[in-house]
Amino acid sequence: MQQHSFDRLWPVSTLTLGGGGLGMVWGETTFEECVATVHDAVAAGINLIDLAPRYGDGKAEEVVGEAFGGRLPAGVRVTSKCNLGSICSSFIRMWCRMRGTSRAGQTPPYA
């Protein structure tokens, strides 16, 4: 699988595995199917898994934890999101000031 630079952090696969399906948000599936999906994605070279607490109220994280026995394989990364209200907004404004930008679509690497 082809890889691309992810800003200054690490290279990531062209495709990303989204956590909505792993959290069973988009329709009926089984826990076992979700675990198999994670295994298949990583075996195909996907090294970025996008999770969030809202994806099935933590089910997506449980699926990934189960798939790898609680330890991600070397080189596999996870992204997530936060909803911290004004704390998060303040952090984003600070990050944009440090980067000298206020362009929409810019996101801090740790938000």
Side-chain angles (χ1 to χ4, degrees):
M1 168 100 31
Q2 193 173 20
Q3 305 236 327
H4 300 279
S5 173
F6 188 59
D7 199 17
R8 294 174 291 200
L9 299 178
W10 54 76
V12 295
S13 52
T14 301
L15 300 177
T16 300
L17 179 61
L22 301 178
M24 303 165 215
V25 171
W26 312 126
E28 189 175 324
T29 187
T30 67
F31 190 83
E32 292 75 21
E33 288 173 321
C34 293
V35 169
T37 298
V38 173
H39 284 152
D40 290 346
V42 171
I46 292 174
N47 71 347
L48 185 62
I49 304 171
D50 179 43
L51 302 176
R54 296 256 173 138
Y55 293 159
D57 292 323
K59 284 189 177 97
E61 287 90 344
E62 290 177 25
V63 166
V64 172
E66 177 68 26
F68 302 118
R71 181 175 285 246
L72 290 173
V76 173
R77 307 284 192 226
V78 171
T79 56
S80 190
K81 294 133 198 95
C82 66
N83 186 11
L84 300 176
S86 63
I87 294 172
C88 193
S89 297
S90 297
F91 177 78
I92 290 171
R93 282 192 301 276
M94 178 190 70
W95 183 82
C96 287
R97 278 194 307 270
M98 288 171 38
R99 296 255 332 217
T101 182
S102 61
R103 292 180 291 166
Q106 290 282 331
T107 3
Y110 305 108

XYZ file of all heavy atoms in Angstrom:
827
model
N 0.854 -1.182 0.000
C 0.000 0.000 0.000
C 0.894 1.237 0.000
O 1.863 1.306 0.751
C -0.882 -0.026 1.244
C -1.602 1.252 1.540
S -3.332 1.427 1.087
C -4.043 -0.161 1.197
N 0.551 2.177 -0.833
C 1.314 3.419 -0.904
C 1.160 4.220 0.388
O 0.112 4.190 1.032
C 0.830 4.244 -2.087
C 1.739 5.374 -2.440
C 1.294 6.068 -3.729
O 0.158 5.952 -4.146
N 2.219 6.770 -4.339
N 2.228 4.913 0.782
C 2.213 5.723 2.008
C 2.455 7.185 1.663
O 3.093 7.487 0.650
C 3.294 5.237 2.961
C 3.188 3.767 3.284
C 3.084 3.524 4.748
O 3.641 4.246 5.544
N 2.380 2.473 5.118
N 1.951 8.067 2.509
C 2.108 9.507 2.334
C 2.510 10.129 3.660
O 2.201 9.604 4.731
C 0.795 10.141 1.858
C 0.317 9.608 0.557
N 0.815 10.033 -0.654
C -0.598 8.652 0.267
C 0.213 9.369 -1.622
N -0.647 8.527 -1.088
N 3.146 11.276 3.582
C 3.527 12.016 4.779
C 2.279 12.547 5.480
O 1.343 13.012 4.832
C 4.433 13.185 4.382
O 4.680 13.999 5.491
N 2.254 12.467 6.790
C 1.164 13.017 7.601
C 1.741 14.187 8.378
O 2.146 14.043 9.530
C 0.597 11.945 8.525
C -0.646 12.355 9.258
C -1.779 12.741 8.566
C -0.694 12.324 10.631
C -2.932 13.093 9.236
C -1.837 12.678 11.315
C -2.959 13.058 10.614
N 1.835 15.323 7.704
C 2.485 16.518 8.233
C 3.886 16.124 8.688
O 4.626 15.507 7.937
C 1.657 17.153 9.338
C 2.040 18.615 9.605
O 2.706 19.233 8.743
O 1.676 19.136 10.655
N 4.235 16.435 9.917
C 5.570 16.095 10.406
C 5.562 14.888 11.338
O 6.528 14.618 12.029
C 6.141 17.296 11.163
C 6.379 18.482 10.254
C 6.805 19.659 11.048
N 5.662 20.104 11.848
C 5.512 21.288 12.378
N 6.448 22.174 12.230
N 4.449 21.603 13.066
N 4.463 14.149 11.367
C 4.337 13.097 12.374
C 4.857 11.740 11.911
O 5.795 11.220 12.461
C 2.879 12.989 12.827
C 2.318 14.249 13.475
C 0.860 14.038 13.841
C 3.131 14.637 14.708
N 4.242 11.148 10.902
C 4.652 9.828 10.449
C 4.020 9.561 9.085
O 3.040 10.191 8.716
C 4.234 8.747 11.445
C 2.765 8.788 11.750
C 1.749 8.341 10.948
C 2.137 9.332 12.905
N 0.539 8.571 11.527
C 0.746 9.175 12.745
C 2.601 9.931 14.067
C -0.177 9.593 13.694
C 1.675 10.344 15.010
C 0.310 10.171 14.823
N 4.518 8.592 8.329
C 3.871 8.235 7.068
C 2.626 7.382 7.330
O 2.615 6.571 8.267
C 4.942 7.433 6.326
C 5.873 6.952 7.374
C 5.782 7.914 8.527
N 1.594 7.597 6.515
C 0.362 6.817 6.660
C -0.039 6.240 5.306
O 0.333 6.756 4.257
C -0.799 7.665 7.229
C -0.496 8.117 8.632
C -1.126 8.838 6.340
N -0.816 5.191 5.350
C -1.293 4.540 4.138
C -2.266 5.454 3.391
O -2.912 6.322 3.986
C -1.976 3.213 4.494
O -2.957 3.400 5.495
N -2.355 5.247 2.092
C -3.279 6.027 1.266
C -4.710 5.849 1.757
O -5.487 6.790 1.776
C -3.167 5.597 -0.204
O -1.819 5.812 -0.622
C -4.105 6.376 -1.088
N -5.055 4.648 2.145
C -6.383 4.371 2.693
C -6.333 4.322 4.215
O -5.329 3.910 4.795
C -6.915 3.038 2.161
C -7.079 2.930 0.650
C -7.531 1.535 0.266
C -8.055 3.974 0.135
N -7.423 4.725 4.829
C -7.566 4.701 6.290
C -8.791 3.870 6.627
O -9.788 3.927 5.917
C -7.762 6.136 6.824
O -6.625 6.906 6.469
C -7.939 6.156 8.315
N -8.725 3.124 7.709
C -9.892 2.377 8.165
C -10.694 3.263 9.108
O -10.199 3.685 10.151
C -9.477 1.090 8.874
C -10.629 0.242 9.423
C -11.563 -0.214 8.305
C -10.077 -0.948 10.190
N -11.929 3.584 8.728
C -12.800 4.418 9.550
C -13.443 3.618 10.666
O -13.823 2.462 10.489
N -13.578 4.254 11.813
C -14.093 3.575 12.993
C -15.598 3.518 13.119
O -16.114 2.790 13.960
N -16.333 4.273 12.296
C -17.794 4.243 12.389
C -18.348 2.840 12.203
O -19.195 2.384 12.959
N -17.845 2.151 11.196
C -18.284 0.777 10.970
C -17.837 -0.166 12.073
O -18.568 -1.082 12.461
N -16.633 0.071 12.594
C -16.125 -0.768 13.687
C -16.949 -0.573 14.954
O -17.069 -1.483 15.770
C -14.661 -0.439 13.985
C -13.678 -0.613 12.841
C -12.279 -0.199 13.275
C -13.694 -2.042 12.328
N -17.508 0.620 15.109
C -18.365 0.910 16.261
C -19.814 0.556 16.007
O -20.689 0.843 16.812
N -20.060 -0.061 14.845
C -21.389 -0.531 14.460
C -22.393 0.611 14.369
O -23.567 0.468 14.660
C -21.854 -1.627 15.421
C -20.888 -2.795 15.472
S -21.185 -3.879 16.869
C -19.513 -4.363 17.255
N -21.895 1.780 13.925
C -22.726 2.972 13.803
C -23.546 2.947 12.519
O -24.675 3.429 12.489
C -21.830 4.241 13.838
C -22.608 5.490 13.502
C -21.165 4.365 15.186
N -22.996 2.404 11.449
C -23.626 2.524 10.125
C -24.575 1.389 9.795
O -25.129 1.349 8.713
C -22.555 2.614 9.038
C -21.493 3.606 9.343
C -20.150 3.368 9.361
C -21.642 4.985 9.683
N -19.468 4.509 9.696
C -20.364 5.524 9.901
C -22.737 5.821 9.847
C -20.148 6.844 10.259
C -22.525 7.148 10.204
C -21.249 7.639 10.395
N -24.735 0.453 10.669
C -25.661 -0.643 10.393
C -25.288 -1.881 11.179
O -24.302 -1.904 11.913
N -26.103 -2.891 11.024
C -25.929 -4.111 11.797
C -24.715 -4.899 11.321
O -24.524 -5.136 10.130
C -27.183 -4.971 11.660
C -27.198 -6.153 12.590
C -28.512 -6.912 12.524
O -29.564 -6.267 12.357
O -28.454 -8.143 12.634
N -23.896 -5.287 12.245
C -22.746 -6.147 11.996
C -22.409 -6.827 13.320
O -22.979 -6.497 14.350
C -21.547 -5.342 11.442
O -20.516 -6.249 11.059
C -21.024 -4.350 12.434
N -21.496 -7.752 13.294
C -21.136 -8.429 14.536
C -19.754 -7.977 14.989
O -18.946 -7.476 14.197
C -21.117 -9.960 14.360
O -20.044 -10.303 13.472
C -22.442 -10.473 13.816
N -19.496 -8.193 16.249
C -18.186 -7.876 16.814
C -17.104 -8.646 16.069
O -16.056 -8.101 15.736
C -18.188 -8.222 18.308
C -16.987 -7.726 19.052
C -16.935 -6.423 19.522
C -15.913 -8.565 19.303
C -15.830 -5.959 20.216
C -14.804 -8.111 19.996
C -14.768 -6.805 20.460
N -17.370 -9.917 15.778
C -16.403 -10.768 15.091
C -16.104 -10.249 13.681
O -14.956 -10.286 13.224
C -16.905 -12.217 15.035
C -16.946 -12.903 16.382
C -18.116 -12.460 17.276
O -19.129 -11.926 16.749
O -18.011 -12.618 18.500
N -17.137 -9.772 12.955
C -16.916 -9.200 11.629
C -16.039 -7.956 11.714
O -15.170 -7.742 10.862
C -18.253 -8.823 10.975
C -19.073 -10.000 10.528
C -20.454 -9.593 10.046
O -21.082 -8.698 10.647
O -20.899 -10.191 9.051
N -16.249 -7.159 12.741
C -15.453 -5.942 12.913
C -13.995 -6.276 13.204
O -13.083 -5.652 12.648
C -16.053 -5.077 14.018
S -17.669 -4.401 13.598
N -13.760 -7.251 14.052
C -12.384 -7.676 14.354
C -11.719 -8.199 13.081
O -10.569 -7.862 12.784
C -12.371 -8.737 15.481
C -10.990 -9.378 15.613
C -12.802 -8.123 16.808
N -12.447 -8.997 12.295
C -11.902 -9.522 11.040
C -11.589 -8.383 10.070
O -10.578 -8.423 9.349
C -12.884 -10.507 10.418
N -12.412 -7.353 10.047
C -12.174 -6.196 9.176
C -10.867 -5.505 9.539
O -10.075 -5.137 8.665
C -13.348 -5.202 9.267
O -14.536 -5.857 8.802
C -13.091 -3.943 8.461
N -10.626 -5.333 10.831
C -9.381 -4.701 11.288
C -8.184 -5.548 10.865
O -7.203 -5.029 10.324
C -9.392 -4.482 12.816
C -8.042 -3.992 13.306
C -10.490 -3.511 13.200
N -8.257 -6.854 11.084
C -7.164 -7.748 10.677
C -6.908 -7.645 9.177
O -5.757 -7.514 8.744
C -7.485 -9.197 11.035
C -7.330 -9.505 12.481
N -8.063 -10.487 13.104
C -6.563 -8.964 13.448
C -7.733 -10.542 14.382
N -6.826 -9.628 14.608
N -7.976 -7.697 8.380
C -7.832 -7.647 6.925
C -7.248 -6.318 6.461
O -6.408 -6.280 5.554
C -9.181 -7.882 6.238
C -9.677 -9.313 6.375
O -8.883 -10.204 6.774
O -10.869 -9.549 6.088
N -7.692 -5.217 7.072
C -7.192 -3.891 6.683
C -5.698 -3.773 6.934
O -4.943 -3.321 6.065
C -7.945 -2.804 7.444
N -5.250 -4.196 8.100
C -3.821 -4.106 8.432
C -3.012 -5.066 7.557
O -1.935 -4.711 7.072
C -3.592 -4.337 9.941
C -2.120 -4.461 10.267
C -4.228 -3.198 10.750
N -3.544 -6.240 7.302
C -2.852 -7.187 6.419
C -2.721 -6.628 5.003
O -1.752 -6.926 4.304
C -3.597 -8.521 6.391
N -3.666 -5.772 4.590
C -3.617 -5.155 3.261
C -2.712 -3.929 3.217
O -2.534 -3.334 2.164
C -5.027 -4.773 2.822
N -2.160 -3.538 4.373
C -1.226 -2.417 4.400
C -1.773 -1.121 4.960
O -1.075 -0.113 5.007
N -3.026 -1.124 5.404
C -3.577 0.079 6.034
C -2.944 0.217 7.409
O -2.964 -0.720 8.209
C -5.113 -0.002 6.126
C -5.697 0.061 4.718
C -5.680 1.103 7.008
C -7.197 -0.141 4.647
N -2.363 1.395 7.677
C -1.685 1.572 8.964
C -2.247 2.734 9.775
O -1.656 3.137 10.762
C -0.174 1.750 8.773
C 0.185 3.089 8.164
O -0.661 3.817 7.656
N 1.465 3.404 8.214
N -3.415 3.257 9.362
C -4.052 4.332 10.118
C -5.510 3.967 10.354
O -6.264 3.729 9.409
C -3.957 5.667 9.369
C -4.492 6.885 10.111
C -3.695 7.144 11.398
C -4.454 8.118 9.219
N -5.890 3.917 11.628
C -7.258 3.585 12.019
C -7.839 4.803 12.715
O -7.273 5.302 13.681
C -7.281 2.351 12.948
C -6.594 1.167 12.262
C -8.713 2.010 13.330
C -6.380 -0.036 13.162
N -8.965 5.271 12.196
C -9.605 6.474 12.714
C -10.702 6.092 13.707
O -11.714 5.506 13.326
C -10.195 7.277 11.554
C -10.906 8.529 12.027
O -10.364 9.217 12.904
O -12.003 8.808 11.509
N -10.487 6.412 14.958
C -11.449 6.087 16.015
C -11.964 7.364 16.662
O -11.406 8.434 16.486
C -10.786 5.212 17.078
C -10.183 3.896 16.591
C -9.479 3.186 17.731
C -11.263 3.008 15.991
N -13.024 7.234 17.428
C -13.562 8.341 18.209
C -14.475 7.765 19.275
O -15.124 6.739 19.052
C -14.334 9.311 17.333
N -14.526 8.405 20.432
C -15.398 7.901 21.509
C -16.858 7.757 21.081
O -17.568 6.907 21.594
C -15.251 8.949 22.605
C -13.923 9.573 22.353
C -13.746 9.559 20.863
N -17.303 8.548 20.131
C -18.703 8.501 19.693
C -18.994 7.341 18.739
O -20.142 7.095 18.393
C -19.087 9.809 19.015
C -19.024 10.987 19.930
C -20.397 11.378 20.341
N -20.356 12.406 21.361
C -21.145 13.441 21.368
N -22.018 13.597 20.407
N -21.073 14.303 22.343
N -17.984 6.654 18.270
C -18.222 5.529 17.371
C -18.655 4.324 18.195
O -17.851 3.503 18.612
C -16.978 5.186 16.555
C -16.567 6.231 15.547
C -15.287 6.274 15.056
C -17.465 7.176 15.079
C -14.897 7.218 14.116
C -17.092 8.132 14.152
C -15.811 8.142 13.672
O -15.441 9.075 12.741
N -19.965 4.252 18.418
C -20.504 3.117 19.166
C -20.225 3.192 20.647
O -20.148 2.168 21.311
N -20.057 4.399 21.176
C -19.780 4.585 22.611
C -18.605 3.735 23.080
O -18.675 3.065 24.102
C -21.034 4.292 23.449
C -22.114 5.329 23.232
O -21.771 6.523 23.073
O -23.299 4.949 23.212
N -17.541 3.742 22.304
C -16.330 3.023 22.682
C -16.190 1.649 22.053
O -15.160 0.994 22.224
N -17.215 1.197 21.313
C -17.132 -0.141 20.702
C -15.992 -0.248 19.695
O -15.339 -1.280 19.601
C -18.456 -0.498 20.028
C -19.546 -0.882 20.990
C -20.747 -1.427 20.243
C -21.804 -1.885 21.212
N -22.841 -0.911 21.458
N -15.744 0.820 18.930
C -14.670 0.769 17.934
C -13.327 0.527 18.613
O -12.509 -0.264 18.130
C -14.645 2.059 17.110
N -13.082 1.205 19.727
C -11.839 0.994 20.467
C -11.750 -0.436 21.005
O -10.691 -1.048 20.995
C -11.719 1.991 21.622
C -11.411 3.403 21.184
C -12.654 4.236 20.916
O -13.758 3.660 20.774
O -12.523 5.466 20.841
N -12.891 -0.968 21.463
C -12.909 -2.355 21.958
C -12.560 -3.331 20.840
O -11.832 -4.302 21.071
C -14.287 -2.690 22.532
C -14.611 -1.977 23.827
C -16.016 -2.285 24.306
O -16.563 -3.357 23.954
O -16.565 -1.444 25.042
N -13.085 -3.077 19.646
C -12.801 -3.945 18.496
C -11.306 -3.955 18.203
O -10.690 -5.019 18.050
C -13.599 -3.472 17.249
C -13.062 -4.123 15.978
C -15.076 -3.781 17.427
N -10.694 -2.782 18.126
C -9.265 -2.698 17.822
C -8.446 -3.345 18.943
O -7.479 -4.061 18.686
C -8.838 -1.232 17.567
C -7.328 -1.119 17.440
C -9.525 -0.702 16.320
N -8.844 -3.110 20.176
C -8.160 -3.749 21.306
C -8.220 -5.258 21.222
O -7.214 -5.953 21.434
N -9.378 -5.774 20.895
C -9.542 -7.227 20.765
C -8.747 -7.772 19.580
O -8.125 -8.828 19.678
C -11.029 -7.564 20.583
C -11.326 -9.023 20.362
C -11.060 -9.904 21.575
O -11.106 -9.394 22.716
O -10.802 -11.112 21.388
N -8.759 -7.037 18.482
C -8.075 -7.499 17.270
C -6.591 -7.730 17.502
O -6.006 -8.648 16.930
C -8.282 -6.492 16.130
N -5.993 -6.914 18.356
C -4.542 -6.992 18.543
C -4.139 -7.274 19.984
O -3.012 -6.987 20.387
C -3.880 -5.710 18.037
C -4.173 -5.445 16.594
C -4.857 -4.314 16.213
C -3.790 -6.354 15.621
C -5.141 -4.074 14.878
C -4.080 -6.128 14.282
C -4.759 -4.990 13.914
N -5.040 -7.821 20.753
C -4.700 -8.191 22.125
C -4.261 -7.006 22.973
O -3.435 -7.155 23.859
N -4.821 -5.817 22.673
C -4.504 -4.641 23.472
C -3.220 -3.927 23.088
O -2.827 -2.954 23.723
N -2.537 -4.394 22.048
C -1.267 -3.776 21.629
C -1.259 -3.647 20.113
O -1.330 -4.634 19.399
C -0.103 -4.650 22.080
C 1.255 -4.100 21.717
C 2.326 -4.967 22.299
N 2.400 -4.695 23.720
C 3.437 -4.145 24.307
N 4.491 -3.839 23.598
N 3.445 -3.924 25.598
N -1.149 -2.393 19.629
C -1.127 -2.179 18.184
C 0.133 -2.770 17.564
O 1.205 -2.702 18.160
C -1.161 -0.675 17.877
C -2.451 0.060 18.175
C -2.259 1.556 17.981
C -3.583 -0.447 17.310
N 0.013 -3.317 16.369
C 1.205 -3.794 15.668
C 2.141 -2.626 15.364
O 1.704 -1.479 15.254
C 0.647 -4.381 14.366
C -0.800 -4.625 14.615
C -1.221 -3.607 15.623
N 3.401 -2.911 15.220
C 4.391 -1.872 14.893
C 3.963 -1.134 13.641
O 3.588 -1.746 12.640
C 5.769 -2.502 14.700
N 4.011 0.193 13.707
C 3.696 1.029 12.563
C 2.232 1.371 12.379
O 1.892 2.213 11.567
N 1.340 0.721 13.111
C -0.087 1.041 13.022
C -0.378 2.196 13.971
O 0.049 2.188 15.121
C -0.968 -0.184 13.353
C -2.434 0.197 13.430
C -0.752 -1.282 12.323
N -1.091 3.199 13.456
C -1.414 4.399 14.229
C -2.916 4.549 14.350
O -3.673 4.056 13.522
C -0.855 5.651 13.540
C 0.606 5.579 13.211
C 1.444 5.779 14.436
N 2.832 5.976 14.041
C 3.834 5.364 14.614
N 3.630 4.515 15.589
N 5.073 5.595 14.218
N -3.327 5.267 15.388
C -4.739 5.548 15.626
C -4.923 7.051 15.732
O -4.143 7.730 16.401
C -5.219 4.862 16.934
C -6.607 5.327 17.316
C -5.190 3.353 16.779
N -5.938 7.559 15.051
C -6.339 8.951 15.242
C -7.655 8.954 15.993
O -8.387 7.961 16.000
C -6.524 9.680 13.892
O -7.474 8.968 13.102
C -5.211 9.809 13.157
N -7.932 10.061 16.650
C -9.183 10.183 17.391
C -9.640 11.628 17.340
O -9.015 12.479 16.706
C -8.989 9.724 18.840
O -10.254 9.632 19.475
N -10.711 11.914 17.992
C -11.247 13.262 18.068
C -11.585 13.577 19.509
O -11.714 12.690 20.328
C -12.519 13.372 17.218
C -12.288 13.204 15.754
C -13.336 12.237 15.237
C -12.965 11.670 13.909
N -12.300 10.396 14.022
N -11.742 14.867 19.786
C -12.146 15.255 21.131
C -13.256 16.284 21.036
O -13.431 16.922 20.012
C -10.970 15.816 21.923
S -10.348 17.376 21.265
N -13.994 16.416 22.082
C -15.036 17.427 22.164
C -14.930 18.053 23.540
O -15.638 17.682 24.456
C -16.414 16.808 21.939
C -17.503 17.860 21.873
O -17.211 19.059 21.797
N -18.743 17.427 21.912
N -13.988 18.971 23.670
C -13.719 19.568 24.974
C -14.240 20.998 25.083
O -13.844 21.741 25.958
C -12.215 19.552 25.251
C -11.560 18.180 25.276
C -10.055 18.311 25.461
C -12.158 17.306 26.364
N -15.103 21.401 24.168
C -15.692 22.733 24.234
C -14.660 23.833 24.151
O -13.798 23.834 23.289
N -14.717 24.766 25.068
C -13.857 25.951 25.011
C -12.384 25.597 25.212
O -11.512 26.283 24.702
C -14.304 26.983 26.036
O -14.166 26.468 27.338
N -12.079 24.538 25.942
C -10.678 24.142 26.125
C -10.078 23.775 24.776
O -9.012 24.219 24.401
C -10.554 22.961 27.117
C -10.974 23.404 28.513
C -9.131 22.417 27.124
C -11.061 22.260 29.503
N -10.810 22.976 23.994
C -10.328 22.556 22.689
C -10.233 23.753 21.749
O -9.258 23.903 21.031
C -11.251 21.488 22.111
S -10.545 20.636 20.690
N -11.226 24.638 21.759
C -11.194 25.830 20.905
C -10.006 26.710 21.237
O -9.331 27.230 20.353
C -12.487 26.635 21.072
O -13.581 25.870 20.645
N -9.719 26.863 22.530
C -8.563 27.669 22.939
C -7.274 27.048 22.452
O -6.367 27.744 21.997
C -8.526 27.811 24.468
O -9.654 28.496 24.920
N -7.163 25.732 22.536
C -5.969 25.040 22.075
C -5.779 25.248 20.581
O -4.672 25.509 20.107
C -6.037 23.553 22.411
C -4.852 22.789 21.884
C -3.642 22.833 22.533
C -4.954 22.052 20.726
C -2.536 22.154 22.044
C -3.868 21.357 20.222
C -2.658 21.410 20.882
N -6.867 25.141 19.821
C -6.771 25.308 18.368
C -6.326 26.721 18.023
O -5.461 26.916 17.172
C -8.113 24.958 17.692
C -8.347 23.447 17.799
C -8.124 25.409 16.236
C -9.712 22.992 17.366
N -6.885 27.731 18.689
C -6.463 29.109 18.429
C -4.983 29.291 18.752
O -4.235 29.904 18.005
C -7.316 30.090 19.242
C -8.685 30.327 18.626
C -9.393 31.510 19.280
N -9.587 31.368 20.704
C -10.601 30.704 21.268
N -11.517 30.132 20.509
N -10.708 30.628 22.570
N -4.531 28.728 19.883
C -3.123 28.831 20.269
C -2.242 28.151 19.221
O -1.229 28.690 18.803
C -2.898 28.190 21.638
C -1.438 28.214 22.088
S -1.149 27.213 23.564
C -1.350 25.569 22.901
N -2.637 26.972 18.776
C -1.854 26.233 17.793
C -1.747 27.029 16.495
O -0.685 27.109 15.892
C -2.496 24.871 17.553
C -1.719 24.003 16.607
C -0.638 23.233 16.903
C -1.953 23.833 15.212
N -0.200 22.592 15.775
C -0.986 22.936 14.731
C -2.898 24.346 14.335
C -0.942 22.541 13.398
C -2.841 23.948 13.003
C -1.874 23.056 12.552
N -2.863 27.628 16.059
C -2.852 28.421 14.825
C -1.933 29.633 14.973
O -1.200 29.975 14.038
C -4.264 28.863 14.456
S -5.281 27.512 13.811
N -1.940 30.281 16.133
C -1.041 31.411 16.350
C 0.413 30.963 16.272
O 1.253 31.630 15.679
C -1.310 32.064 17.715
C -2.474 33.026 17.705
C -2.487 33.893 18.959
N -2.442 33.145 20.195
C -3.498 32.703 20.880
N -4.707 32.936 20.439
N -3.343 32.055 21.999
N 0.729 29.821 16.860
C 2.096 29.313 16.838
C 2.526 28.989 15.405
O 3.672 29.183 15.042
C 2.216 28.058 17.717
C 2.139 28.369 19.198
S 2.015 26.898 20.279
C 3.055 25.721 19.533
N 1.614 28.491 14.599
C 1.922 28.142 13.208
C 1.828 29.347 12.281
O 2.155 29.256 11.120
C 0.956 27.074 12.691
C 1.042 25.756 13.389
C 1.710 24.662 12.666
N 1.685 24.669 11.244
C 1.569 23.599 10.505
N 1.396 22.437 11.060
N 1.618 23.670 9.188
N 1.291 30.455 12.801
C 1.157 31.655 11.980
C 0.067 31.533 10.940
O 0.173 32.067 9.851
N -0.974 30.786 11.265
C -2.071 30.594 10.317
C -3.399 30.612 11.044
O -3.481 30.305 12.218
C -1.925 29.264 9.554
O -2.992 29.173 8.618
C -1.988 28.064 10.473
N -4.418 30.982 10.336
C -5.768 30.866 10.864
C -6.667 30.264 9.797
O -7.870 30.387 9.843
C -6.302 32.246 11.282
O -6.335 33.095 10.163
N -6.045 29.593 8.826
C -6.802 29.010 7.720
C -7.732 27.909 8.202
O -7.358 27.070 9.013
C -5.858 28.433 6.671
C -5.071 29.499 5.947
C -4.170 28.880 4.926
N -3.119 28.156 5.600
C -2.310 27.282 5.023
N -2.458 27.009 3.767
N -1.364 26.668 5.704
N -8.932 27.911 7.662
C -9.874 26.831 7.960
C -9.296 25.529 7.439
O -8.611 25.493 6.438
C -11.206 27.127 7.291
N -9.585 24.470 8.135
C -9.089 23.167 7.721
C -7.778 22.791 8.353
O -7.347 21.658 8.305
N -7.089 23.727 8.985
C -5.849 23.424 9.690
C -6.214 22.842 11.045
O -7.021 23.398 11.754
C -5.019 24.699 9.896
C -4.432 25.249 8.632
C -3.202 24.453 8.195
O -2.500 23.892 9.028
N -2.984 24.398 6.917
N -5.656 21.724 11.367
C -5.935 21.117 12.656
C -4.659 20.845 13.405
O -3.680 20.426 12.815
C -6.655 19.782 12.503
O -6.799 19.451 11.158
C -7.962 19.769 13.190
N -4.664 21.090 14.708
C -3.467 20.792 15.471
C -3.182 19.302 15.479
O -4.101 18.511 15.433
C -3.810 21.294 16.875
C -5.173 21.814 16.825
C -5.730 21.634 15.459
N -1.931 18.927 15.547
C -1.606 17.500 15.491
C -2.052 16.725 16.720
O -2.164 15.521 16.652
C -0.080 17.496 15.380
C 0.356 18.811 15.897
C -0.760 19.766 15.603
N -2.342 17.400 17.812
C -2.708 16.662 19.027
C -4.115 16.972 19.481
O -4.458 16.686 20.594
C -1.706 16.974 20.143
C -0.302 16.696 19.705
C 0.598 17.716 19.449
C 0.119 15.400 19.486
C 1.873 17.456 19.017
C 1.394 15.122 19.035
C 2.266 16.161 18.816
O 3.520 15.894 18.365
N -4.942 17.534 18.643
C -6.322 17.847 19.025
C -7.227 16.702 18.676
O -6.940 15.877 17.894
C -6.806 19.106 18.345
